[in-house]
Amino acid sequence: MIRIAIQSKGRLNEDSLALLRDIGIDVDAPKRKLVSRSQNFPLEALYLRDDDIPQVVAGGTATFGIVGLNEVEERAADVDIVARLGFGTCRLSLAIPKGEPYEGPAWFNGRKIATSYPGILRRYLDANGIDARIEVITGSVEIAPAVGIADAIFDIVSSGSTLIANGLKEVETAMESEAVLIARKGLDTQEQELLEDLLFRIGTETVSKGKKYLLMNLPRTALDQALRILPAMRSPTVMPLATEDWCSLHSVVNASELWTKVRQLKAIGAEGILVMDIDKIIL
Ligand code: PRT
Ligand code: ZN
């Protein structure tokens, strides 16, 4: 049975399971089980701490894994990163006490930086010619400067509120991260076919995500303007209506742009605008 390693609990667990569900692979949530076999796809989920996932895939105990890119990079795991999954987005940044004047990375020369990501930090410091000491701590990195363990920290930042709450300011970003699908190197034919199926399904999911289907009636005279407002995947679909000088227009828009587009379309005379959720777009 081919295995996919997933975080057993934590920030990526729910989104990983939701992604599998969205692409038609049902697995039971971890609870107390370490493995769960999908009833409708030839795959077994293996629930682990995120730290262990890159090695478990590199070593072949699981063929695939879903894990933060930061964990893959930190462990310099010998796996293929086969898809970016768009959730668990964050960055790894250097932060210093907010009162410190800061003019550039040279600030870090001769300083001590606390982090749980010494590998990524070491490579960043070397690449930028910074001579700083690294203090490895596993939890609550953000309190290190206040308690005198270090001058600065290198940690995951998402909204930035943890830094602010600890009197720190973000000054450099070393990497952007998100959840990725990783695969063991040297897949056999069966594993390769399964990977292609996974990638096809994930691709479909990514294309469909955050999209809305728009349907409206439009005076034919406004059609050119509407086509400029709505550059759909290829071009929007235009259908005739019983009343000759009107047509019906169908298109796909990003949910984030929905209200702007609707306002523009109303302004050129669109009526009866229907907005619908999209389940899948298969290109
Ligand atoms: O138990 P296990 O080892 O499996 O989990 P974990 O506790 O090591 O990891 P977990 O569940 O906290 O995070 C899993 C992955 O989520 C990370 O490896 C990142 O890829 C991703 N991720 C995304 C984050 C964040 N956003 C995040 N904000 N991981 C951690 N944080 C923490 C960060 O460490 C800091 O303490 O949130 C705080 C900062 O958040 P903001 O929003 O205040 O900036
Ligand atoms: Zn972890």
Side-chain angles (χ1 to χ4, degrees):
M1 180 55 55
I2 299 178
R3 285 194 181 140
I4 183 164
I6 290 166
Q7 192 190 27
S8 55
K9 55 182 169 45
R11 286 167 201 266
L12 303 182
N13 167 262
E14 267 184 34
D15 285 342
S16 304
L17 290 172
L19 172 71
L20 290 182
R21 201 182 324 111
D22 288 345
I23 64 173
I25 302 172
D26 294 325
V27 287
D28 291 334
K31 304 216 174 83
R32 257 166 291 143
K33 283 192 341 196
L34 181 65
V35 290
S36 163
R37 188 175 166 167
S38 172
Q39 295 304 319
N40 60 354
F41 198 79
L43 202 61
E44 192 170 72
L46 175 64
Y47 296 110
L48 298 172
R49 287 199 57 188
D50 68 344
D51 315 51
D52 298 330
I53 293 176
Q55 298 314 349
V56 159
V57 173
T61 306
T63 306
F64 305 111
I66 296 178
V67 68
L69 181 60
N70 51 305
E71 292 297 329
V72 182
E73 297 281 309
E74 177 60 25
R75 286 167 176 73
D78 192 20
V79 295
D80 287 327
I81 293 159
V82 289
R84 292 186 165 252
L85 300 174
F87 58 88
T89 48
C90 56
R91 53 195 186 273
L92 271 89
S93 293
L94 282 160
I96 66 173
K98 71 168 188 286
E100 284 282 332
Y102 184 79
E103 277 165 8
W107 185 93
F108 291 95
N109 279 320
R111 311 262 185 171
K112 205 199 273 183
I113 309 169
T115 189
S116 318
Y117 292 94
I120 297 171
L121 177 58
R122 172 52 59 209
R123 274 173 266 146
Y124 175 82
L125 295 176
D126 290 350
N128 289 278
I130 302 165
D131 180 21
R133 268 198 296 151
I134 299 177
E135 184 73 30
V136 182
I137 50 178
T138 48
S140 307
V141 171
E142 62 279 357
I143 63 162
V147 298
I149 296 176
D151 304 301
I153 69 162
F154 178 68
D155 199 9
I156 293 178
V157 182
S158 170
S159 65
S161 54
T162 303
L163 294 184
I164 293 171
N166 287 280
L168 299 168
K169 63 179 176 189
E170 187 178 359
V171 291
E172 303 289 341
T173 297
M175 80 170 278
E176 304 280 343
S177 182
E178 68 187 276
V180 290
L181 177 68
I182 55 174
R184 198 194 71 234
K185 293 213 156 147
L187 300 183
D188 66 27
T189 316
Q190 188 200 1
E191 291 167 331
Q192 188 62 40
E193 274 170 18
L194 198 128
L195 172 61
E196 272 153 34
D197 193 1
L198 284 178
L199 290 177
F200 172 72
R201 294 180 186 210
I202 290 170
T204 298
E205 211 43 47
T206 317
V207 171
S208 327
K209 210 170 191 133
K211 298 272 201 308
K212 297 280 181 191
Y213 194 79
L214 271 188
L215 240 156
M216 74 212 73
N217 294 334
L218 193 75
R220 279 202 167 271
T221 49
L223 192 55
D224 280 351
Q225 282 167 286
L227 295 183
R228 258 175 267 127
I229 297 170
L230 292 171
M233 285 170 296
R234 291 241 166 82
S235 66
T237 309
V238 184
M239 309 227 269
L241 285 182
T243 358
E244 251 180 33
D245 42 2
W246 281 74
C247 59
S248 159
L249 189 68
H250 301 208
S251 185
V252 174
V253 297
N254 289 325
S256 58
E257 300 173 322
L258 178 71
W259 294 107
T260 319
K261 301 283 184 198
V262 165
R263 192 164 30 78
Q264 292 170 333
L265 291 163
K266 280 194 75 66
I268 61 165
E271 286 182 3
I273 303 177
L274 279 183
V275 180
M276 291 184 288
D277 287 334
I278 293 178
D279 189 21
K280 305 251 178 286
I281 300 173
I282 299 178
L283 295 174

